[in-house]
Amino acid sequence: NAGVTQTPKFQVLKTGQSMTLQCAQDMNHEYMSWYRQDPGMGLRLIHYSVGAGITDQGEVPNGYNVSRSTTEDFPLRLLSAAPSQTSVYFCASRTSITGELFFGEGSRLTVL
Amino acid sequence: KNQVEQSPQSLIILEGKNCTLQCNYTVSPFSNLRWYKQDTGRGPVSLTIMTFSENTKSNGRYTATLDADTKQSSLHITASQLSDSASYICVVKSSGSQGNLIFGKGTKLSVKP
């Protein structure tokens, strides 16, 4: 049972480069979300989706794009990376009823 | 404003000792409260969920309490082990239309031999 799978686990970018963090879940959860985790800041919501074709902004959406073409996949795109986007990114999915989040293992991104 | 505050920010204890982590929240309307454990370099994993009607719930050596009147929760760890070293995150779910999740910043626990 894979749960939530994120790739890549580590990535180094130069300022201005673009990249996509991939996220897939096999639990048929409607709700998926992306968080970033920075020291002393806790987990902050970037974007979320309540179902295929539906996305919305979270607390810190600037500099990030998302799309949800299928229930399983929820990629996060950085169009022009900035050093302020250096962080650990977590994808999560959850049931709508209990709200238990199932997290991926995280993607550590460094922007030089 | 909906907020979740955790204390202490960090804690160091000796193996075998007990400890208690605190979570205070101002989320309204309240749906449930979860404690997550996050090992270093891993994603958080749910330990326990507390609903409005529950006062105490145990999961092995972990016992969570909830006082809905004072809007406080605690996570008590009994007979700590080295593997308990992790960050513990309190997350409160509101029962509004979007079912928003409000995160605490976590308590970093270090268990020393």
PDB file of all heavy atoms in Angstrom, chain A residues 35 37 40-43 48 56 90 94 96-101 103-106, chain B residues 9 32 34 36 38 41-46 49 89 93 98-101 103-105:
ATOM      1  N   TYR A  35       1.984  21.499   1.401  1.00  0.00           N
ATOM      2  CA  TYR A  35       2.449  22.317   2.510  1.00  0.00           C
ATOM      3  C   TYR A  35       3.944  22.551   2.338  1.00  0.00           C
ATOM      4  O   TYR A  35       4.649  21.741   1.745  1.00  0.00           O
ATOM      5  CB  TYR A  35       2.231  21.612   3.851  1.00  0.00           C
ATOM      6  CG  TYR A  35       0.791  21.357   4.201  1.00  0.00           C
ATOM      7  CD1 TYR A  35       0.144  20.210   3.750  1.00  0.00           C
ATOM      8  CD2 TYR A  35       0.080  22.247   4.984  1.00  0.00           C
ATOM      9  CE1 TYR A  35      -1.177  19.968   4.066  1.00  0.00           C
ATOM     10  CE2 TYR A  35      -1.248  22.015   5.310  1.00  0.00           C
ATOM     11  CZ  TYR A  35      -1.866  20.872   4.847  1.00  0.00           C
ATOM     12  OH  TYR A  35      -3.179  20.640   5.162  1.00  0.00           O
ATOM     13  N   GLN A  37       7.290  23.431   4.942  1.00  0.00           N
ATOM     14  CA  GLN A  37       7.666  23.409   6.350  1.00  0.00           C
ATOM     15  C   GLN A  37       9.020  24.064   6.510  1.00  0.00           C
ATOM     16  O   GLN A  37      10.011  23.604   5.953  1.00  0.00           O
ATOM     17  CB  GLN A  37       7.714  21.968   6.887  1.00  0.00           C
ATOM     18  CG  GLN A  37       7.905  21.897   8.386  1.00  0.00           C
ATOM     19  CD  GLN A  37       7.809  20.468   8.902  1.00  0.00           C
ATOM     20  OE1 GLN A  37       8.305  19.530   8.295  1.00  0.00           O
ATOM     21  NE2 GLN A  37       7.148  20.289  10.036  1.00  0.00           N
ATOM     22  N   GLY A  40      10.713  26.796  12.680  1.00  0.00           N
ATOM     23  CA  GLY A  40      10.027  27.793  13.488  1.00  0.00           C
ATOM     24  C   GLY A  40       8.696  28.257  12.944  1.00  0.00           C
ATOM     25  O   GLY A  40       8.003  29.042  13.587  1.00  0.00           O
ATOM     26  N   MET A  41       8.323  27.775  11.741  1.00  0.00           N
ATOM     27  CA  MET A  41       7.080  28.250  11.112  1.00  0.00           C
ATOM     28  C   MET A  41       5.994  27.180  11.097  1.00  0.00           C
ATOM     29  O   MET A  41       4.832  27.466  10.869  1.00  0.00           O
ATOM     30  CB  MET A  41       7.355  28.686   9.670  1.00  0.00           C
ATOM     31  CG  MET A  41       8.354  29.800   9.545  1.00  0.00           C
ATOM     32  SD  MET A  41       7.735  31.337  10.249  1.00  0.00           S
ATOM     33  CE  MET A  41       6.411  31.722   9.111  1.00  0.00           C
ATOM     34  N   GLY A  42       6.370  25.955  11.298  1.00  0.00           N
ATOM     35  CA  GLY A  42       5.379  24.898  11.199  1.00  0.00           C
ATOM     36  C   GLY A  42       4.983  24.629   9.754  1.00  0.00           C
ATOM     37  O   GLY A  42       5.598  25.128   8.814  1.00  0.00           O
ATOM     38  N   LEU A  43       3.948  23.866   9.578  1.00  0.00           N
ATOM     39  CA  LEU A  43       3.438  23.530   8.240  1.00  0.00           C
ATOM     40  C   LEU A  43       2.476  24.623   7.770  1.00  0.00           C
ATOM     41  O   LEU A  43       1.546  24.996   8.488  1.00  0.00           O
ATOM     42  CB  LEU A  43       2.707  22.188   8.280  1.00  0.00           C
ATOM     43  CG  LEU A  43       3.601  20.961   8.392  1.00  0.00           C
ATOM     44  CD1 LEU A  43       2.833  19.804   9.010  1.00  0.00           C
ATOM     45  CD2 LEU A  43       4.139  20.586   7.032  1.00  0.00           C
ATOM     46  N   TYR A  48      -4.558  23.716  -2.306  1.00  0.00           N
ATOM     47  CA  TYR A  48      -5.278  22.487  -2.035  1.00  0.00           C
ATOM     48  C   TYR A  48      -6.313  22.241  -3.127  1.00  0.00           C
ATOM     49  O   TYR A  48      -6.628  23.125  -3.923  1.00  0.00           O
ATOM     50  CB  TYR A  48      -5.934  22.513  -0.657  1.00  0.00           C
ATOM     51  CG  TYR A  48      -7.038  23.536  -0.490  1.00  0.00           C
ATOM     52  CD1 TYR A  48      -8.378  23.166  -0.651  1.00  0.00           C
ATOM     53  CD2 TYR A  48      -6.753  24.852  -0.146  1.00  0.00           C
ATOM     54  CE1 TYR A  48      -9.393  24.090  -0.485  1.00  0.00           C
ATOM     55  CE2 TYR A  48      -7.754  25.784   0.015  1.00  0.00           C
ATOM     56  CZ  TYR A  48      -9.078  25.402  -0.135  1.00  0.00           C
ATOM     57  OH  TYR A  48     -10.089  26.326   0.018  1.00  0.00           O
ATOM     58  N   ASP A  56      -7.586  25.479  -5.141  1.00  0.00           N
ATOM     59  CA  ASP A  56      -7.746  26.760  -4.458  1.00  0.00           C
ATOM     60  C   ASP A  56      -6.474  27.102  -3.720  1.00  0.00           C
ATOM     61  O   ASP A  56      -5.634  26.216  -3.451  1.00  0.00           O
ATOM     62  CB  ASP A  56      -8.922  26.737  -3.500  1.00  0.00           C
ATOM     63  CG  ASP A  56      -9.536  28.124  -3.295  1.00  0.00           C
ATOM     64  OD1 ASP A  56      -8.879  29.132  -3.654  1.00  0.00           O
ATOM     65  OD2 ASP A  56     -10.654  28.207  -2.773  1.00  0.00           O
ATOM     66  N   PHE A  90       5.665  19.132   1.582  1.00  0.00           N
ATOM     67  CA  PHE A  90       4.908  17.913   1.852  1.00  0.00           C
ATOM     68  C   PHE A  90       3.593  17.942   1.090  1.00  0.00           C
ATOM     69  O   PHE A  90       2.868  18.930   1.118  1.00  0.00           O
ATOM     70  CB  PHE A  90       4.604  17.762   3.340  1.00  0.00           C
ATOM     71  CG  PHE A  90       5.803  17.401   4.165  1.00  0.00           C
ATOM     72  CD1 PHE A  90       6.522  18.379   4.834  1.00  0.00           C
ATOM     73  CD2 PHE A  90       6.217  16.083   4.264  1.00  0.00           C
ATOM     74  CE1 PHE A  90       7.627  18.049   5.594  1.00  0.00           C
ATOM     75  CE2 PHE A  90       7.317  15.742   5.016  1.00  0.00           C
ATOM     76  CZ  PHE A  90       8.025  16.724   5.680  1.00  0.00           C
ATOM     77  N   ARG A  94      -6.421  13.547   2.290  1.00  0.00           N
ATOM     78  CA  ARG A  94      -7.233  13.220   3.459  1.00  0.00           C
ATOM     79  C   ARG A  94      -8.653  12.866   3.058  1.00  0.00           C
ATOM     80  O   ARG A  94      -9.128  13.208   1.995  1.00  0.00           O
ATOM     81  CB  ARG A  94      -7.255  14.351   4.474  1.00  0.00           C
ATOM     82  CG  ARG A  94      -7.988  15.629   4.060  1.00  0.00           C
ATOM     83  CD  ARG A  94      -8.043  16.561   5.272  1.00  0.00           C
ATOM     84  NE  ARG A  94      -8.460  17.906   4.969  1.00  0.00           N
ATOM     85  CZ  ARG A  94      -9.703  18.354   5.164  1.00  0.00           C
ATOM     86  NH1 ARG A  94     -10.642  17.549   5.591  1.00  0.00           N
ATOM     87  NH2 ARG A  94      -9.986  19.625   4.904  1.00  0.00           N
ATOM     88  N   SER A  96     -12.607  13.373   3.658  1.00  0.00           N
ATOM     89  CA  SER A  96     -13.376  14.584   3.947  1.00  0.00           C
ATOM     90  C   SER A  96     -14.110  14.479   5.274  1.00  0.00           C
ATOM     91  O   SER A  96     -14.463  15.474   5.876  1.00  0.00           O
ATOM     92  CB  SER A  96     -14.389  14.847   2.834  1.00  0.00           C
ATOM     93  OG  SER A  96     -15.258  13.733   2.695  1.00  0.00           O
ATOM     94  N   ILE A  97     -14.290  13.249   5.752  1.00  0.00           N
ATOM     95  CA  ILE A  97     -15.092  13.067   6.958  1.00  0.00           C
ATOM     96  C   ILE A  97     -14.276  13.303   8.226  1.00  0.00           C
ATOM     97  O   ILE A  97     -14.607  14.161   9.033  1.00  0.00           O
ATOM     98  CB  ILE A  97     -15.723  11.659   6.978  1.00  0.00           C
ATOM     99  CG1 ILE A  97     -16.662  11.494   5.785  1.00  0.00           C
ATOM    100  CG2 ILE A  97     -16.462  11.444   8.288  1.00  0.00           C
ATOM    101  CD1 ILE A  97     -17.241  10.108   5.646  1.00  0.00           C
ATOM    102  N   THR A  98     -13.220  12.544   8.421  1.00  0.00           N
ATOM    103  CA  THR A  98     -12.460  12.653   9.669  1.00  0.00           C
ATOM    104  C   THR A  98     -11.357  13.685   9.599  1.00  0.00           C
ATOM    105  O   THR A  98     -10.885  14.162  10.622  1.00  0.00           O
ATOM    106  CB  THR A  98     -11.829  11.309  10.063  1.00  0.00           C
ATOM    107  OG1 THR A  98     -10.812  10.980   9.108  1.00  0.00           O
ATOM    108  CG2 THR A  98     -12.877  10.211  10.107  1.00  0.00           C
ATOM    109  N   GLY A  99     -10.910  13.982   8.416  1.00  0.00           N
ATOM    110  CA  GLY A  99      -9.849  14.962   8.264  1.00  0.00           C
ATOM    111  C   GLY A  99      -8.457  14.459   8.531  1.00  0.00           C
ATOM    112  O   GLY A  99      -7.519  15.249   8.593  1.00  0.00           O
ATOM    113  N   GLU A 100      -8.265  13.131   8.708  1.00  0.00           N
ATOM    114  CA  GLU A 100      -6.913  12.634   8.949  1.00  0.00           C
ATOM    115  C   GLU A 100      -6.084  12.832   7.691  1.00  0.00           C
ATOM    116  O   GLU A 100      -6.455  12.391   6.603  1.00  0.00           O
ATOM    117  CB  GLU A 100      -6.911  11.154   9.316  1.00  0.00           C
ATOM    118  CG  GLU A 100      -5.492  10.611   9.516  1.00  0.00           C
ATOM    119  CD  GLU A 100      -5.451   9.137   9.860  1.00  0.00           C
ATOM    120  OE1 GLU A 100      -6.525   8.528   9.984  1.00  0.00           O
ATOM    121  OE2 GLU A 100      -4.322   8.604  10.021  1.00  0.00           O
ATOM    122  N   LEU A 101      -4.948  13.501   7.858  1.00  0.00           N
ATOM    123  CA  LEU A 101      -4.043  13.739   6.750  1.00  0.00           C
ATOM    124  C   LEU A 101      -3.043  12.596   6.628  1.00  0.00           C
ATOM    125  O   LEU A 101      -2.496  12.127   7.627  1.00  0.00           O
ATOM    126  CB  LEU A 101      -3.270  15.041   6.967  1.00  0.00           C
ATOM    127  CG  LEU A 101      -4.009  16.346   6.677  1.00  0.00           C
ATOM    128  CD1 LEU A 101      -3.242  17.518   7.244  1.00  0.00           C
ATOM    129  CD2 LEU A 101      -4.232  16.530   5.196  1.00  0.00           C
ATOM    130  N   PHE A 103       0.475  12.013   4.836  1.00  0.00           N
ATOM    131  CA  PHE A 103       1.541  12.796   4.222  1.00  0.00           C
ATOM    132  C   PHE A 103       2.485  11.924   3.416  1.00  0.00           C
ATOM    133  O   PHE A 103       2.707  10.743   3.715  1.00  0.00           O
ATOM    134  CB  PHE A 103       2.366  13.497   5.305  1.00  0.00           C
ATOM    135  CG  PHE A 103       1.672  14.663   5.960  1.00  0.00           C
ATOM    136  CD1 PHE A 103       0.854  14.475   7.055  1.00  0.00           C
ATOM    137  CD2 PHE A 103       1.868  15.949   5.474  1.00  0.00           C
ATOM    138  CE1 PHE A 103       0.216  15.551   7.666  1.00  0.00           C
ATOM    139  CE2 PHE A 103       1.243  17.031   6.079  1.00  0.00           C
ATOM    140  CZ  PHE A 103       0.421  16.829   7.172  1.00  0.00           C
ATOM    141  N   GLY A 104       3.065  12.548   2.384  1.00  0.00           N
ATOM    142  CA  GLY A 104       4.191  11.943   1.714  1.00  0.00           C
ATOM    143  C   GLY A 104       5.447  12.113   2.555  1.00  0.00           C
ATOM    144  O   GLY A 104       5.413  12.700   3.639  1.00  0.00           O
ATOM    145  N   GLU A 105       6.557  11.621   2.049  1.00  0.00           N
ATOM    146  CA  GLU A 105       7.805  11.655   2.805  1.00  0.00           C
ATOM    147  C   GLU A 105       8.539  12.985   2.683  1.00  0.00           C
ATOM    148  O   GLU A 105       9.551  13.201   3.345  1.00  0.00           O
ATOM    149  CB  GLU A 105       8.717  10.525   2.348  1.00  0.00           C
ATOM    150  CG  GLU A 105       8.224   9.138   2.746  1.00  0.00           C
ATOM    151  CD  GLU A 105       8.154   8.995   4.253  1.00  0.00           C
ATOM    152  OE1 GLU A 105       9.214   8.937   4.899  1.00  0.00           O
ATOM    153  OE2 GLU A 105       7.022   8.948   4.804  1.00  0.00           O
ATOM    154  N   GLY A 106       8.052  13.871   1.850  1.00  0.00           N
ATOM    155  CA  GLY A 106       8.638  15.205   1.738  1.00  0.00           C
ATOM    156  C   GLY A 106       9.635  15.331   0.600  1.00  0.00           C
ATOM    157  O   GLY A 106      10.261  14.348   0.180  1.00  0.00           O
TER     158      GLY A 106
ATOM    159  N   GLN B   9       8.196  24.672  23.209  1.00  0.00           N
ATOM    160  CA  GLN B   9       8.697  24.628  21.829  1.00  0.00           C
ATOM    161  C   GLN B   9       9.612  23.415  21.646  1.00  0.00           C
ATOM    162  O   GLN B   9       9.622  22.770  20.602  1.00  0.00           O
ATOM    163  CB  GLN B   9       9.453  25.919  21.532  1.00  0.00           C
ATOM    164  CG  GLN B   9       9.666  26.220  20.075  1.00  0.00           C
ATOM    165  CD  GLN B   9      10.185  27.632  19.883  1.00  0.00           C
ATOM    166  OE1 GLN B   9      10.525  28.342  20.838  1.00  0.00           O
ATOM    167  NE2 GLN B   9      10.268  28.063  18.646  1.00  0.00           N
ATOM    168  N   ASN B  32     -12.604  18.450  15.438  1.00  0.00           N
ATOM    169  CA  ASN B  32     -11.774  17.481  16.137  1.00  0.00           C
ATOM    170  C   ASN B  32     -10.349  17.999  16.262  1.00  0.00           C
ATOM    171  O   ASN B  32      -9.984  19.015  15.662  1.00  0.00           O
ATOM    172  CB  ASN B  32     -11.808  16.110  15.452  1.00  0.00           C
ATOM    173  CG  ASN B  32     -11.277  16.152  14.028  1.00  0.00           C
ATOM    174  OD1 ASN B  32     -10.177  16.623  13.784  1.00  0.00           O
ATOM    175  ND2 ASN B  32     -12.059  15.646  13.080  1.00  0.00           N
ATOM    176  N   ARG B  34      -6.261  16.512  16.340  1.00  0.00           N
ATOM    177  CA  ARG B  34      -5.347  15.386  16.135  1.00  0.00           C
ATOM    178  C   ARG B  34      -3.957  15.740  16.600  1.00  0.00           C
ATOM    179  O   ARG B  34      -3.518  16.889  16.482  1.00  0.00           O
ATOM    180  CB  ARG B  34      -5.261  15.017  14.645  1.00  0.00           C
ATOM    181  CG  ARG B  34      -6.414  14.246  14.130  1.00  0.00           C
ATOM    182  CD  ARG B  34      -6.157  13.778  12.703  1.00  0.00           C
ATOM    183  NE  ARG B  34      -7.335  13.142  12.160  1.00  0.00           N
ATOM    184  CZ  ARG B  34      -7.624  11.874  12.324  1.00  0.00           C
ATOM    185  NH1 ARG B  34      -6.812  11.108  13.000  1.00  0.00           N
ATOM    186  NH2 ARG B  34      -8.709  11.364  11.807  1.00  0.00           N
ATOM    187  N   TYR B  36      -0.112  14.614  15.697  1.00  0.00           N
ATOM    188  CA  TYR B  36       0.731  13.939  14.726  1.00  0.00           C
ATOM    189  C   TYR B  36       2.147  13.832  15.280  1.00  0.00           C
ATOM    190  O   TYR B  36       2.625  14.723  15.984  1.00  0.00           O
ATOM    191  CB  TYR B  36       0.793  14.719  13.405  1.00  0.00           C
ATOM    192  CG  TYR B  36      -0.467  14.674  12.580  1.00  0.00           C
ATOM    193  CD1 TYR B  36      -1.533  15.529  12.849  1.00  0.00           C
ATOM    194  CD2 TYR B  36      -0.603  13.785  11.514  1.00  0.00           C
ATOM    195  CE1 TYR B  36      -2.691  15.492  12.091  1.00  0.00           C
ATOM    196  CE2 TYR B  36      -1.756  13.749  10.740  1.00  0.00           C
ATOM    197  CZ  TYR B  36      -2.788  14.593  11.037  1.00  0.00           C
ATOM    198  OH  TYR B  36      -3.940  14.550  10.273  1.00  0.00           O
ATOM    199  N   GLN B  38       6.075  13.484  13.952  1.00  0.00           N
ATOM    200  CA  GLN B  38       6.918  13.628  12.767  1.00  0.00           C
ATOM    201  C   GLN B  38       8.359  13.281  13.123  1.00  0.00           C
ATOM    202  O   GLN B  38       9.041  14.057  13.801  1.00  0.00           O
ATOM    203  CB  GLN B  38       6.845  15.050  12.198  1.00  0.00           C
ATOM    204  CG  GLN B  38       7.635  15.210  10.911  1.00  0.00           C
ATOM    205  CD  GLN B  38       7.518  16.587  10.305  1.00  0.00           C
ATOM    206  OE1 GLN B  38       7.195  17.567  10.977  1.00  0.00           O
ATOM    207  NE2 GLN B  38       7.768  16.693   9.004  1.00  0.00           N
ATOM    208  N   GLY B  41      13.087  13.999   9.062  1.00  0.00           N
ATOM    209  CA  GLY B  41      13.203  13.621   7.662  1.00  0.00           C
ATOM    210  C   GLY B  41      12.025  12.834   7.120  1.00  0.00           C
ATOM    211  O   GLY B  41      12.098  12.321   5.991  1.00  0.00           O
ATOM    212  N   ARG B  42      10.944  12.749   7.879  1.00  0.00           N
ATOM    213  CA  ARG B  42       9.766  12.001   7.437  1.00  0.00           C
ATOM    214  C   ARG B  42       8.530  12.895   7.457  1.00  0.00           C
ATOM    215  O   ARG B  42       8.544  14.005   7.995  1.00  0.00           O
ATOM    216  CB  ARG B  42       9.531  10.784   8.367  1.00  0.00           C
ATOM    217  CG  ARG B  42      10.727   9.876   8.561  1.00  0.00           C
ATOM    218  CD  ARG B  42      11.105   9.152   7.289  1.00  0.00           C
ATOM    219  NE  ARG B  42      10.089   8.257   6.801  1.00  0.00           N
ATOM    220  CZ  ARG B  42       9.928   6.999   7.199  1.00  0.00           C
ATOM    221  NH1 ARG B  42      10.722   6.500   8.132  1.00  0.00           N
ATOM    222  NH2 ARG B  42       8.980   6.239   6.686  1.00  0.00           N
ATOM    223  N   GLY B  43       7.444  12.402   6.874  1.00  0.00           N
ATOM    224  CA  GLY B  43       6.189  13.128   6.950  1.00  0.00           C
ATOM    225  C   GLY B  43       5.476  12.836   8.259  1.00  0.00           C
ATOM    226  O   GLY B  43       5.686  11.790   8.873  1.00  0.00           O
ATOM    227  N   PRO B  44       4.619  13.752   8.720  1.00  0.00           N
ATOM    228  CA  PRO B  44       3.866  13.515   9.956  1.00  0.00           C
ATOM    229  C   PRO B  44       2.913  12.328   9.820  1.00  0.00           C
ATOM    230  O   PRO B  44       2.390  12.066   8.733  1.00  0.00           O
ATOM    231  CB  PRO B  44       3.082  14.827  10.145  1.00  0.00           C
ATOM    232  CG  PRO B  44       3.810  15.844   9.332  1.00  0.00           C
ATOM    233  CD  PRO B  44       4.363  15.086   8.166  1.00  0.00           C
ATOM    234  N   VAL B  45       2.697  11.650  10.948  1.00  0.00           N
ATOM    235  CA  VAL B  45       1.782  10.519  11.002  1.00  0.00           C
ATOM    236  C   VAL B  45       0.828  10.720  12.170  1.00  0.00           C
ATOM    237  O   VAL B  45       1.257  11.087  13.267  1.00  0.00           O
ATOM    238  CB  VAL B  45       2.547   9.185  11.174  1.00  0.00           C
ATOM    239  CG1 VAL B  45       1.575   8.033  11.342  1.00  0.00           C
ATOM    240  CG2 VAL B  45       3.469   8.939   9.994  1.00  0.00           C
ATOM    241  N   SER B  46      -0.453  10.470  11.937  1.00  0.00           N
ATOM    242  CA  SER B  46      -1.447  10.685  12.981  1.00  0.00           C
ATOM    243  C   SER B  46      -1.274   9.695  14.134  1.00  0.00           C
ATOM    244  O   SER B  46      -1.123   8.492  13.917  1.00  0.00           O
ATOM    245  CB  SER B  46      -2.852  10.541  12.391  1.00  0.00           C
ATOM    246  OG  SER B  46      -3.832  10.687  13.394  1.00  0.00           O
ATOM    247  N   ILE B  49      -6.923  10.949  17.462  1.00  0.00           N
ATOM    248  CA  ILE B  49      -7.906  11.981  17.177  1.00  0.00           C
ATOM    249  C   ILE B  49      -8.807  12.144  18.387  1.00  0.00           C
ATOM    250  O   ILE B  49      -9.179  11.166  19.029  1.00  0.00           O
ATOM    251  CB  ILE B  49      -8.763  11.650  15.927  1.00  0.00           C
ATOM    252  CG1 ILE B  49      -9.827  12.726  15.688  1.00  0.00           C
ATOM    253  CG2 ILE B  49      -9.400  10.270  16.052  1.00  0.00           C
ATOM    254  CD1 ILE B  49     -10.615  12.542  14.407  1.00  0.00           C
ATOM    255  N   ILE B  89       2.934  17.467  16.522  1.00  0.00           N
ATOM    256  CA  ILE B  89       2.170  18.573  15.957  1.00  0.00           C
ATOM    257  C   ILE B  89       0.694  18.405  16.310  1.00  0.00           C
ATOM    258  O   ILE B  89       0.121  17.328  16.114  1.00  0.00           O
ATOM    259  CB  ILE B  89       2.328  18.631  14.423  1.00  0.00           C
ATOM    260  CG1 ILE B  89       3.817  18.756  14.054  1.00  0.00           C
ATOM    261  CG2 ILE B  89       1.541  19.803  13.843  1.00  0.00           C
ATOM    262  CD1 ILE B  89       4.098  18.569  12.580  1.00  0.00           C
ATOM    263  N   LYS B  93      -9.284  20.728  13.532  1.00  0.00           N
ATOM    264  CA  LYS B  93     -10.168  20.830  12.380  1.00  0.00           C
ATOM    265  C   LYS B  93     -11.414  21.599  12.776  1.00  0.00           C
ATOM    266  O   LYS B  93     -12.052  21.268  13.776  1.00  0.00           O
ATOM    267  CB  LYS B  93     -10.543  19.438  11.877  1.00  0.00           C
ATOM    268  CG  LYS B  93     -11.424  19.419  10.618  1.00  0.00           C
ATOM    269  CD  LYS B  93     -11.659  17.993  10.160  1.00  0.00           C
ATOM    270  CE  LYS B  93     -12.457  17.933   8.859  1.00  0.00           C
ATOM    271  NZ  LYS B  93     -13.851  18.350   9.032  1.00  0.00           N
ATOM    272  N   GLN B  98     -15.580  24.476   4.869  1.00  0.00           N
ATOM    273  CA  GLN B  98     -14.366  23.986   4.236  1.00  0.00           C
ATOM    274  C   GLN B  98     -13.592  23.022   5.127  1.00  0.00           C
ATOM    275  O   GLN B  98     -12.610  22.446   4.684  1.00  0.00           O
ATOM    276  CB  GLN B  98     -13.464  25.162   3.843  1.00  0.00           C
ATOM    277  CG  GLN B  98     -14.042  26.021   2.707  1.00  0.00           C
ATOM    278  CD  GLN B  98     -13.047  27.040   2.198  1.00  0.00           C
ATOM    279  OE1 GLN B  98     -12.086  27.378   2.875  1.00  0.00           O
ATOM    280  NE2 GLN B  98     -13.259  27.540   0.996  1.00  0.00           N
ATOM    281  N   GLY B  99     -14.039  22.849   6.352  1.00  0.00           N
ATOM    282  CA  GLY B  99     -13.336  21.925   7.251  1.00  0.00           C
ATOM    283  C   GLY B  99     -11.873  22.254   7.368  1.00  0.00           C
ATOM    284  O   GLY B  99     -11.016  21.387   7.274  1.00  0.00           O
ATOM    285  N   ASN B 100     -11.568  23.540   7.595  1.00  0.00           N
ATOM    286  CA  ASN B 100     -10.177  23.976   7.635  1.00  0.00           C
ATOM    287  C   ASN B 100      -9.388  23.310   8.747  1.00  0.00           C
ATOM    288  O   ASN B 100      -9.911  23.049   9.832  1.00  0.00           O
ATOM    289  CB  ASN B 100     -10.121  25.492   7.802  1.00  0.00           C
ATOM    290  CG  ASN B 100     -10.619  26.219   6.567  1.00  0.00           C
ATOM    291  OD1 ASN B 100     -10.639  25.660   5.488  1.00  0.00           O
ATOM    292  ND2 ASN B 100     -11.032  27.451   6.749  1.00  0.00           N
ATOM    293  N   LEU B 101      -8.106  23.050   8.454  1.00  0.00           N
ATOM    294  CA  LEU B 101      -7.185  22.497   9.430  1.00  0.00           C
ATOM    295  C   LEU B 101      -6.255  23.605   9.886  1.00  0.00           C
ATOM    296  O   LEU B 101      -5.660  24.300   9.060  1.00  0.00           O
ATOM    297  CB  LEU B 101      -6.366  21.359   8.824  1.00  0.00           C
ATOM    298  CG  LEU B 101      -7.150  20.151   8.314  1.00  0.00           C
ATOM    299  CD1 LEU B 101      -6.209  19.154   7.668  1.00  0.00           C
ATOM    300  CD2 LEU B 101      -7.910  19.495   9.454  1.00  0.00           C
ATOM    301  N   PHE B 103      -2.880  24.375  12.117  1.00  0.00           N
ATOM    302  CA  PHE B 103      -1.713  23.670  12.623  1.00  0.00           C
ATOM    303  C   PHE B 103      -1.023  24.439  13.737  1.00  0.00           C
ATOM    304  O   PHE B 103      -0.850  25.661  13.649  1.00  0.00           O
ATOM    305  CB  PHE B 103      -0.691  23.465  11.500  1.00  0.00           C
ATOM    306  CG  PHE B 103      -1.094  22.457  10.470  1.00  0.00           C
ATOM    307  CD1 PHE B 103      -2.024  22.765   9.492  1.00  0.00           C
ATOM    308  CD2 PHE B 103      -0.539  21.194  10.485  1.00  0.00           C
ATOM    309  CE1 PHE B 103      -2.395  21.831   8.549  1.00  0.00           C
ATOM    310  CE2 PHE B 103      -0.908  20.251   9.530  1.00  0.00           C
ATOM    311  CZ  PHE B 103      -1.825  20.572   8.568  1.00  0.00           C
ATOM    312  N   GLY B 104      -0.580  23.702  14.764  1.00  0.00           N
ATOM    313  CA  GLY B 104       0.377  24.263  15.702  1.00  0.00           C
ATOM    314  C   GLY B 104       1.773  24.148  15.108  1.00  0.00           C
ATOM    315  O   GLY B 104       1.985  23.458  14.104  1.00  0.00           O
ATOM    316  N   LYS B 105       2.739  24.845  15.731  1.00  0.00           N
ATOM    317  CA  LYS B 105       4.098  24.825  15.199  1.00  0.00           C
ATOM    318  C   LYS B 105       4.895  23.625  15.674  1.00  0.00           C
ATOM    319  O   LYS B 105       6.009  23.398  15.208  1.00  0.00           O
ATOM    320  CB  LYS B 105       4.817  26.125  15.561  1.00  0.00           C
ATOM    321  CG  LYS B 105       4.216  27.336  14.881  1.00  0.00           C
ATOM    322  CD  LYS B 105       4.972  28.610  15.209  1.00  0.00           C
ATOM    323  CE  LYS B 105       4.337  29.788  14.470  1.00  0.00           C
ATOM    324  NZ  LYS B 105       5.033  31.063  14.761  1.00  0.00           N
TER     325      LYS B 105
END
